[in-house]
Amino acid sequence: MSVISRSERAHASVTTGRDIVAFGTRAPSIHNTQPWSWRIDGSRIDLRADRGRQLHVADPEGRHLTISCGAALHHAVVRARTLGFEAEVELLPTAGDPDHLATIQLVPGRPDPEAEAEAELLGRRRTDRRRFTAWPLPDDRLDQLVAAAVEPGTDALTIREPARRVRVGLLVSKAAWVESHDPRYAREQEHWTLPTPEGGVPETHRPAPHPRLRVSSRYDDPGSESMGRDPVQGTDGLVVITTEEDGPRDWLRSGTMLCRLWTEAMTAGLSLVPLSQLVEVPDTRAALADEIVAGAGHPQLLLRLGWQEISRNPLPPSGRRPLDDVLLP
Ligand SMILES: Cc1cc2nc3c(=O)[nH]c(=O)nc-3n(C[C@H](O)[C@H](O)[C@H](O)COP(=O)(O)O)c2cc1C
């Protein structure tokens, strides 16, 4: 039997904590802002919001910052479970400290094969904005995916009726127009999405607009002829993540829901792209809530889903801050 000293045990738990946090930082985040910081304290890991990385123009309430942190929390929990821990999560554990978003308490257990399968998917997840194939996404396929991903306190609404799909497309275009004509949004987006080894949105993740299809992406060059194209294609699956209430707890859970939908989509061979602009702009968010979600909860994020080309090369990972930059002493 090997004898492990106290200092070696402490070291092992720090290494484990670092491994879990490193996986957490692979999560998707609005404009790849990575708005989180973490503290490892023995078997406890704290997740905090980093307000210095909040989009104060596009996200003044911190909704999309918190959804991003919820996604990071989910990644960390899944990784902990692959390492043989039960991860006991408490959301918003400190009254009066809204930036303390969550605590993960690591309790020894057994490696969980389901978590391993999920971690494998999360590890190769990318926001792949390349054009989807034209194959339509059957409604029952989308419903199955949503049913498999459902998370307490959250729901996901699939938008099927042609008139409502057209309306959602118009709202996305309107939100994109509002943001691209307001220099404050444009400056903020440019600042955060500039690609660096530590963040931003790389060129490989900003596909050139398709010459025939009138489809655009949020990260197209504002001066390019892609502006004015449709942000949503006729064959896209459209899903809105909704929550019962509309506060930080619900936003954190929406982050989990986003990851679960993403891995379910990947398993089905689908690409998923979040579209957050219509939730960022107050008028289009109100229209989405009143006309589309219509009393079925608070809209948090719109998702486009579609079939990937079978022969598509995987995208490289986008940059992340070094681990030591996100760890608090
Ligand atoms: C809350 C949230 C909102 C997002 N909104 C958009 C969006 O409007 N358009 C888009 O193309 N990507 C959007 N994304 C995807 C991010 O840009 C992406 O996660 C980030 O650039 C990191 O890249 P990766 O997902 O490939 O790791 C969003 C992600 C999150 C978590």
Side-chain angles (χ1 to χ4, degrees):
M1 198 173 75
S2 69
V3 179
I4 302 176
S5 71
R6 263 180 93 166
S7 68
E8 275 171 333
R9 265 204 304 272
H11 179 70
S13 71
V14 169
T15 311
T16 305
R18 286 177 69 87
D19 181 327
I20 291 169
V21 171
F23 198 73
T25 68
R26 291 307 320 162
S29 62
I30 178 90
H31 289 347
N32 204 7
T33 46
Q34 309 162 58
W36 42 65
S37 54
W38 309 74
R39 182 175 285 119
I40 303 167
D41 182 4
S43 59
R44 202 181 83 192
I45 299 176
D46 291 300
L47 170 63
R48 297 189 62 84
D50 182 345
R51 297 287 168 193
R53 305 181 74 83
Q54 181 169 344
L55 303 178
H56 292 287
V57 180
D59 186 28
E61 292 174 294
R63 175 195 309 275
H64 287 144
L65 172 146
T66 313
I67 294 177
S68 305
C69 289
L73 175 67
H74 181 72
H75 278 60
V77 165
V78 170
R79 181 66 185 141
R81 287 171 49 213
T82 66
L83 294 172
F85 294 100
E86 312 266 335
E88 291 176 358
V89 173
E90 193 181 349
L91 300 182
L92 302 168
T94 312
D97 182 0
D99 291 348
H100 189 192
L101 296 180
T103 295
I104 306 173
Q105 186 64 51
L106 301 175
V107 180
R110 289 199 179 158
D112 173 347
E114 269 184 37
E116 273 168 32
E118 194 176 354
E120 192 276 323
L121 292 165
L122 292 174
R124 60 184 168 85
R125 180 211 59 79
R126 312 276 183 263
T127 305
D128 190 341
R129 303 178 185 85
R130 288 173 293 184
R131 185 168 65 93
F132 303 155
T133 68
W135 299 333
L137 182 49
D139 290 340
D140 56 346
R141 203 65 194 263
L142 208 50
D143 286 344
Q144 278 165 13
L145 201 142
V146 163
V150 102
E151 177 66 22
T154 63
D155 207 346
L157 189 75
T158 57
I159 304 172
R160 301 172 184 179
E161 296 78 20
R164 293 205 308 157
R165 293 172 54 83
V166 169
R167 182 70 183 134
V168 167
L170 289 173
L171 291 175
V172 178
S173 297
K174 183 176 173 190
W177 190 91
V178 168
E179 293 196 353
S180 64
H181 285 76
D182 183 333
R184 294 169 315 137
Y185 280 101
R187 268 199 303 274
E188 187 176 67
Q189 174 164 316
E190 206 182 306
H191 170 75
W192 285 106
T193 57
L194 187 77
T196 70
E198 300 183 3
V201 179
E203 291 305 324
T204 41
H205 296 232
R206 303 173 187 230
H210 190 268
R212 274 178 292 110
L213 288 172
R214 291 177 44 79
V215 178
S216 68
S217 134
R218 174 172 204 171
Y219 300 122
D220 288 346
D221 174 359
S224 83
E225 46 93 46
S226 72
M227 295 312 284
R229 287 166 184 250
D230 299 330
V232 170
Q233 279 175 261
T235 48
D236 289 351
L238 293 178
V239 170
V240 186
I241 296 182
T242 60
T243 51
E244 284 164 17
E245 305 296 332
D246 195 20
R249 193 177 294 275
D250 310 284
W251 303 339
L252 285 167
R253 288 183 173 144
S254 300
T256 298
M257 178 69 162
L258 170 64
C259 296
R260 292 177 54 76
L261 282 166
W262 216 316
T263 51
E264 289 296 332
M266 288 172 74
T267 306
L270 292 161
S271 235
L272 179 153
V273 179
L275 295 180
S276 49
Q277 284 171 298
L278 83 169
V279 180
E280 289 160 14
V281 173
D283 284 356
T284 52
R285 183 170 71 246
L288 176 68
D290 295 346
E291 300 170 31
I292 308 292
V293 175
H298 299 271
Q300 304 299 348
L301 197 58
L302 174 68
L303 312 174
R304 275 179 65 211
L305 293 104
W307 301 105
Q308 287 180 350
E309 307 263 2
I310 290 163
S311 59
R312 183 172 280 188
N313 293 330
L315 288 173
S318 53
R320 292 293 188 274
R321 301 155 73 196
L323 186 55
D324 286 327
D325 281 14
V326 301
L327 284 175
L328 296 168

